[in-house]
Amino acid sequence: MKLTTAYLASLALVSGVLPALAEESMDQMWGDRSTKSGVETSERAALFRDGNYGMFMHWGLYSHLGGQWKDKTFYGIGEWILRQMHIPREEYMNLAREFNPSEFSAREIVRVAKEAGMKWIIITSKHHEGFAMFKSKHPFNIVDATPFARDPMKELADECRAAGLGFGFYYSHNQDWTAPGGSGGPAKNDDGSPASFDQYFKEKCYPQVDEICSNYGELAYVWFDTPGNMPAEHVKALAELVRKKQPRAMLCSRIGHGMGDYESLGDMEVPLKNHDGLWETCDTTNDSWSYAWYDQNWKDSKEVLHRVVSTVGRGGTYLLNVGPDGKGRIPTKAAGYLVESGKWIKEHPGVVYGAGPSPWGHAQPWGDVTRSGNTLNLVVFDWPTDRMIYLSGIDGDIAGATLCATDGKRVPIPVKRVGGWTAFDASAADAATVSSLAGLIEVSFAKAPKIDATLGIHPNIPTHLSCEFARVRDATYKRINWMEKFGEWKFALQVADWKPDGTAEWDVDVATAGDYHVSLTYKGEGRPVWSVTTSEGLKIQNQQAATHVYQSYPTGVIRFSKPGKHRVAVSLGEGNPNKSSLEAITFTPVR
Ligand code: FHN
């Protein structure tokens, strides 16, 4: 929490962003997320809408430092090292003389992106540090200021085009820490005269955006970032420039002032509920965006695939970042995991490309669902031990259910109705032929089924229900964001500020009558007492410890005497109502 405030405070310094934790401040940092109407169905949006998966790349002078400044390691997002380690501007700019990414190979990067199943690459042409990774008239650029003296953006743009990948640029339009007048940059020019943002905009930002839009062929994206309190007139000028020079490029909402074509959610945020419109989640393969020598916290192949499928299942597009090192190489582990998850995607392309969101509106305890026409793709990441996959609320005639094996075999599997639920029985299928990353059951319908999206409580696997799905009375539901390390965003959807009769209540559909262990995920102080009641009149309550981070604590065993619809409510009996916040409830069937 303290870190979040510190981060926002530092952003406040550099870009006039409010140093508060409210969601509005995140909006100011990442820009007004509203987007242009009508873009969604346009031909221009086709790559974004149907491709659903792209590569993001953070690569700059900071990659040469790799998270290390002299004898100190910076354990935050590496591209912020200049600012966070208070490196003198001159000293930082002089690093360009040592920057020689001699191992850079556009072909190799494009190979990894293609094999990962990604459909485009968006790379940092200039990040907040102000260093241009392309040939620019402004001298602080990779061609003129480094021994490398090549334009890697040109090489990458050409290679993407040859391989049929979309290509786009990230450009930090507001923050520029080395250009006089840029947000976070020197307040004075080198001759001592006062610098203004207007000057930075006219002398550096606008001309450079013109350069990237003029010299690299057709761009699929221009990805501006952290608009902060940038004046609308400047944002409008950039939007018009891009529209004129690159009429097919998609603009992300972080350009600011509602001038984007699609919404960019918060960093690293895969939402829990389906989200309408054209939107994207940008995420990274480890913790940092740019290369950091110590950061080995890789998302493995299964996690990468899970996050791709979850984003598509919520209706969005996934932009996954890699940070090449100072020599220009994508770290081997990241490349390996991307390629391995890509193999799965290539075997089952319909799960991702052109796929629509889950009609349930949320993930399932065993995995997630995407939709291709009248087929539902059930992607199983956590097999229940009996290998039965349950879904609630399907109203429609199932034409067939097929388990897709890794060897290309497709095995029809039995489907049973269990009350209002449907069970897909994969118990007889040979476990060895199902991918260890994820199983896939394709369920086809003659016509699109109707789905009752009430949250299901599954009979054979724990069901975890976030407070985001609860009805809240006499308490406050809010989203909080914080950082684990500097720049590594986490969020929670929680209920706090409990009044005496405050409740968080879920409507649920229970597959099987019986006993369930109930646990609550919360944080707070001391030993709060929580109670859980059901619409059948059962109540359990218990006291457990609390900590300052969200943790799950058992409350007791509760019984549903019959399957079907129930309501479950949680309230705080004793404890500090302002310091206790609830994040979720979990039901685990008693065996
Ligand atoms: O400050 C940047 C950060 O360095 C990184 O580029 C991310 C990627 O989305 N954008 C900003 C913070 O949101």
Side-chain angles (χ1 to χ4, degrees):
M1 193 72 85
K2 247 162 125 196
L3 279 174
T4 312
T5 314
Y7 183 47
L8 287 172
S10 71
L11 282 171
L13 279 178
V14 298
S15 51
V17 178
L18 293 176
L21 275 178
E23 179 127 15
E24 308 85 73
S25 59
M26 312 298 290
D27 277 353
Q28 271 207 288
M29 183 169 88
W30 287 320
D32 168 359
R33 294 189 191 176
S34 61
T35 50
K36 304 250 168 287
S37 60
V39 182
E40 214 165 312
T41 51
S42 70
E43 205 270 313
R44 182 163 65 94
L47 177 65
F48 182 88
R49 195 181 49 229
D50 300 332
N52 279 339
Y53 189 25
M55 178 182 269
F56 206 13
M57 287 177 68
H58 277 64
W59 194 44
L61 205 44
Y62 41 77
S63 314
H64 174 63
L65 293 181
Q68 187 72 21
W69 177 241
K70 298 193 171 160
D71 59 348
K72 282 229 157 73
T73 299
F74 169 55
Y75 292 98
I77 47 176
E79 66 282 4
W80 276 70
I81 193 166
L82 158 62
R83 189 150 197 95
Q84 295 306 106
M85 299 295 266
H86 308 288
I87 303 175
R89 172 176 173 254
E90 289 305 301
E91 229 176 311
Y92 190 86
M93 291 178 78
N94 283 339
L95 287 171
R97 296 187 196 147
E98 299 166 11
F99 184 37
N100 190 2
S102 51
E103 306 289 312
F104 172 81
S105 158
R107 183 154 300 168
E108 171 59 9
I109 289 167
V110 166
R111 179 194 68 81
V112 173
K114 285 277 279 188
E115 290 191 17
M118 292 156 159
K119 298 289 187 187
W120 58 85
I121 295 181
I122 300 176
I123 186 165
T124 46
S125 62
K126 184 205 83 167
H127 203 269
H128 311 333
E129 63 174 358
F131 183 67
M133 292 293 284
F134 57 97
K135 167 74 182 150
S136 171
K137 287 209 175 99
H138 191 287
F140 192 39
N141 75 74
I142 189 162
V143 180
D144 297 322
T146 76
F148 184 60
R150 271 158 55 189
D151 185 342
M153 301 296 118
K154 183 92 187 47
E155 295 172 25
L156 194 58
D158 291 347
E159 206 60 54
C160 280
R161 207 156 296 124
L165 289 184
F167 179 71
F169 282 124
Y170 170 112
Y171 188 88
S172 174
H173 55 334
N174 179 37
Q175 300 196 59
D176 191 314
W177 303 330
T178 46
S183 282
K188 288 192 177 149
N189 294 306
D190 293 342
D191 64 5
S193 61
S196 68
F197 185 80
D198 206 42
Q199 169 203 331
Y200 150 75
F201 186 79
K202 286 196 185 115
E203 290 176 3
K204 184 170 183 188
C205 175
Y206 189 91
Q208 285 199 327
V209 174
D210 198 349
E211 287 171 338
I212 58 174
C213 287
S214 307
N215 302 337
Y216 297 88
E218 186 174 283
L219 300 181
Y221 296 91
V222 181
W223 213 96
F224 294 105
D225 198 11
T226 60
N229 59 1
M230 199 169 158
E233 71 201 73
H234 294 322
V235 171
K236 190 158 173 273
L238 292 179
E240 282 171 5
L241 175 62
V242 175
R243 302 274 180 233
K244 185 166 141 235
K245 295 262 167 131
Q246 291 289 341
R248 292 187 56 76
M250 293 284 283
L251 284 170
C252 116
S253 58
R254 296 189 190 192
I255 188 172
H257 295 284
M259 290 185 202
D261 294 311
Y262 65 89
E263 184 184 357
S264 169
L265 302 195
D267 289 351
M268 305 155 184
E269 175 190 353
V270 178
L272 301 186
K273 273 187 182 167
N274 284 17
H275 191 70
D276 288 338
L278 282 185
W279 61 270
E280 161 197 272
T281 284
C282 63
D283 199 359
T284 185
T285 37
N286 47 349
D287 293 341
S288 176
W289 298 96
S290 73
Y291 173 74
W293 70 266
Y294 64 87
D295 188 355
Q296 300 297 321
N297 192 18
W298 305 109
K299 293 177 179 64
D300 64 18
S301 320
K302 184 169 182 146
E303 195 178 353
V304 166
L305 183 62
H306 202 153
R307 289 175 82 79
V308 175
V309 171
S310 299
T311 306
V312 176
R314 303 289 74 71
T317 287
Y318 194 59
L319 182 66
L320 183 57
N321 177 77
V322 293
D325 66 12
K327 285 282 158 206
R329 299 165 296 206
I330 296 180
T332 318
K333 286 264 184 231
Y337 293 139
L338 288 178
V339 168
E340 198 182 348
S341 49
K343 269 193 206 130
W344 191 99
I345 296 173
K346 280 170 198 290
E347 277 160 21
H348 312 294
V351 171
V352 174
Y353 309 128
S358 166
W360 279 268
H362 50 78
Q364 302 292 331
W366 41 258
D368 221 316
V369 179
T370 68
R371 189 177 50 78
S372 334
N374 288 340
T375 299
L376 294 179
N377 308 304
L378 318 189
V379 189
V380 184
F381 289 99
D382 295 299
W383 283 100
T385 46
D386 60 2
R387 298 176 79 81
M388 297 285 288
I389 296 300
Y390 285 83
L391 274 168
S392 60
I394 299 178
D395 177 6
D397 292 327
I398 294 176
T402 309
L403 181 73
C404 303
T406 40
D407 53 8
K409 251 195 240 128
R410 300 165 55 82
V411 189
I413 57 168
V415 181
K416 282 193 290 199
R417 290 295 287 185
V418 184
W421 285 62
T422 309
F424 302 90
D425 183 353
S427 59
D430 176 6
T433 67
V434 175
S435 163
S436 58
L437 293 192
L440 173 64
I441 301 171
E442 284 177 358
V443 185
S444 50
F445 295 82
K447 62 175 188 157
K450 287 199 191 106
I451 302 293
D452 174 345
T454 307
L455 297 162
I457 294 190
H458 289 241
N460 56 348
I461 189 168
T463 304
H464 185 74
L465 304 179
S466 156
C467 279
E468 186 170 13
F469 299 97
R471 237 178 346 265
V472 177
R473 287 198 201 97
D474 293 325
T476 309
Y477 166 77
K478 74 175 176 231
R479 176 202 164 94
I480 57 167
N481 298 279
W482 72 95
M483 289 192 292
E484 304 271 300
K485 286 207 281 279
F486 177 85
E488 189 199 348
W489 286 99
K490 301 277 164 167
F491 69 96
L493 303 144
Q494 46 121 50
V495 178
D497 302 332
W498 298 81
K499 309 245 161 27
D501 291 319
T503 53
E505 187 178 63
W506 290 262
D507 291 322
V508 294
D509 185 350
V510 176
T512 316
D515 290 350
Y516 290 80
H517 293 283
V518 176
S519 56
L520 298 175
T521 307
Y522 61 86
K523 67 175 185 173
E525 284 178 0
R527 298 194 181 97
V529 174
W530 297 94
S531 67
V532 180
T533 54
T534 69
S535 45
E536 291 186 301
L538 270 178
K539 176 170 179 172
I540 54 174
Q541 68 181 55
N542 205 346
Q543 185 182 57
Q544 297 284 7
T547 63
H548 68 287
V549 289
Y550 286 106
Q551 280 203 57
S552 183
Y553 302 89
T555 306
V557 171
I558 214 159
R559 183 169 186 78
F560 294 109
S561 72
K562 53 180 191 310
K565 302 285 175 69
H566 295 260
R567 287 191 312 279
V568 180
V570 175
S571 51
L572 180 70
E574 292 170 30
N576 185 333
N578 303 316
K579 291 276 161 68
S580 308
S581 71
L582 179 72
E583 200 200 13
I585 184 168
T586 306
F587 299 88
T588 306
V590 172
R591 302 265 173 201

